[in-house]
Amino acid sequence: MPHREIVVNGRKTPPSLVDLCVNTAIDNLRYLGDVGETDLYLLDQILPHCTLDQLMHVEKSSQGRDLSQVTDNLWKKFYEKQFGKDKTEEVVRRMVKSKKTFKWIQLYEAKLEYIAEQEKEAAARFKQRYEKIDARKQSRQVQICTKVPPSKNKRGCFGGSGPGYNVSNVKSNLMKKSKVDYLNSNEMKNRAAMKRMASQTQRNSGCSSSMMRPAQFKGKDSASTSKPLKPTGRRF
């Protein structure tokens, strides 16, 4: 920032030491923090050049120092710039109506907190609505049932026909379906039928052997009983 020169009687005079200090402070506002006991008339020349973040830093750093005499009007301008002229005038009307006065830095921070809370609630509502929509979509989707219903025939893997085969040890759903299809194939059905026929034949042969067994063990008693009996005489 160029140094200001004072013109006296048509002659330019160099800036005073105070002016040099003010100009230096303005050139280095990014380093400005606690202003301590700096006179208000000097701050009135320096602080209007601050950005919003720089002014907030000065306010927070200068603890125990009320700078509202200089900064209150600056905060009102920042409020109007960020939230609009209508909102600013509305705040003024409310303070006049309630007969209460607040610092504009307090009004600015309160407005930021209110907006943050509104955004948080809106995000929560949006998340809840999205979860409901997602749950509705999930409920409408076709679900493939991989559980095989139990078969009435409780035989083993090769003793039955139908969906009751033991596929619980197969982890993949695709492998389960392949194994069930294989067990339901004509080859497996023919093999099961042959096994049932062999079992039935074995049971029938067992029954025939047990029926013929008594006739093979007829001994002398049976031979003796075959002889004709002598007639006995009548006794009077």
Side-chain angles (χ1 to χ4, degrees):
M1 177 178 293
H3 300 302
R4 293 179 296 176
E5 295 181 348
I6 302 174
V7 180
V8 180
N9 297 327
R11 297 177 60 184
K12 294 181 180 180
T13 60
S16 64
L17 182 59
V18 174
D19 293 334
L20 291 175
C21 292
V22 170
N23 291 332
T24 302
I26 293 173
D27 292 338
N28 297 275
L29 287 174
R30 61 185 179 275
Y31 304 114
L32 194 62
D34 186 2
V35 295
E37 298 298 329
T38 306
D39 292 336
L40 292 178
Y41 82 94
L42 295 176
L43 296 177
D44 193 36
Q45 300 178 54
I46 298 172
L47 297 184
H49 298 276
C50 292
T51 63
L52 189 149
D53 293 335
Q54 290 172 349
L55 186 61
M56 182 66 75
H57 179 67
V58 171
E59 290 272 15
K60 300 300 181 182
S61 300
S62 303
Q63 297 181 358
R65 179 82 185 273
D66 185 9
L67 302 177
S68 60
Q69 295 182 26
V70 177
T71 62
D72 196 57
N73 190 52
L74 300 177
W75 283 112
K76 182 180 179 180
K77 291 180 180 179
F78 282 126
Y79 191 101
E80 180 177 344
K81 182 178 180 180
Q82 186 159 349
F83 305 120
K85 185 176 180 180
D86 295 338
K87 295 293 183 182
T88 305
E89 293 177 352
E90 182 181 353
V91 172
V92 174
R93 289 194 299 268
R94 288 182 179 179
M95 287 193 294
V96 172
K97 185 177 180 179
S98 62
K99 297 180 180 180
K100 294 181 180 179
T101 304
F102 299 94
K103 296 178 181 179
W104 280 98
I105 185 174
Q106 297 174 343
L107 297 172
Y108 181 85
E109 291 178 329
K111 187 67 174 180
L112 290 181
E113 292 178 1
Y114 175 77
I115 293 176
E117 188 65 24
Q118 291 293 106
E119 291 177 351
K120 184 178 179 180
E121 292 178 0
R125 289 194 300 269
F126 177 80
K127 181 180 179 181
Q128 186 177 7
R129 185 179 303 175
Y130 176 80
E131 290 176 351
K132 289 182 179 179
I133 295 175
D134 186 64
R136 191 180 300 114
K137 289 181 179 180
Q138 292 292 338
S139 64
R140 291 178 179 177
Q141 290 180 355
V142 179
Q143 297 181 358
I144 301 176
C145 181
T146 58
K147 185 177 180 181
V148 180
S151 174
K152 294 182 180 179
N153 190 348
K154 296 184 179 179
R155 293 182 182 180
C157 199
F158 298 97
S161 60
Y165 301 118
N166 182 15
V167 291
S168 60
N169 59 340
V170 182
K171 295 182 179 181
S172 174
N173 294 334
L174 182 61
M175 293 298 295
K176 286 183 180 180
K177 186 177 184 303
S178 301
K179 187 171 182 179
V180 171
D181 291 342
Y182 172 72
L183 295 176
N184 286 331
S185 62
N186 292 331
E187 180 183 356
M188 294 302 299
K189 290 181 179 179
N190 293 337
R191 188 177 298 180
M194 292 174 63
K195 187 172 182 179
R196 288 197 299 271
M197 291 175 62
S199 177
Q200 185 66 28
T201 302
Q202 185 177 1
R203 288 198 298 271
N204 292 340
S205 61
C207 293
S208 300
S209 300
S210 61
M211 292 176 63
M212 294 177 62
R213 192 173 292 116
Q216 295 177 357
F217 291 96
K218 291 182 180 180
K220 296 180 180 182
D221 294 339
S222 61
S224 60
T225 54
S226 61
K227 294 181 179 181
L229 298 176
K230 293 181 180 181
T232 56
R234 295 181 178 178
R235 294 179 182 181
F236 298 94

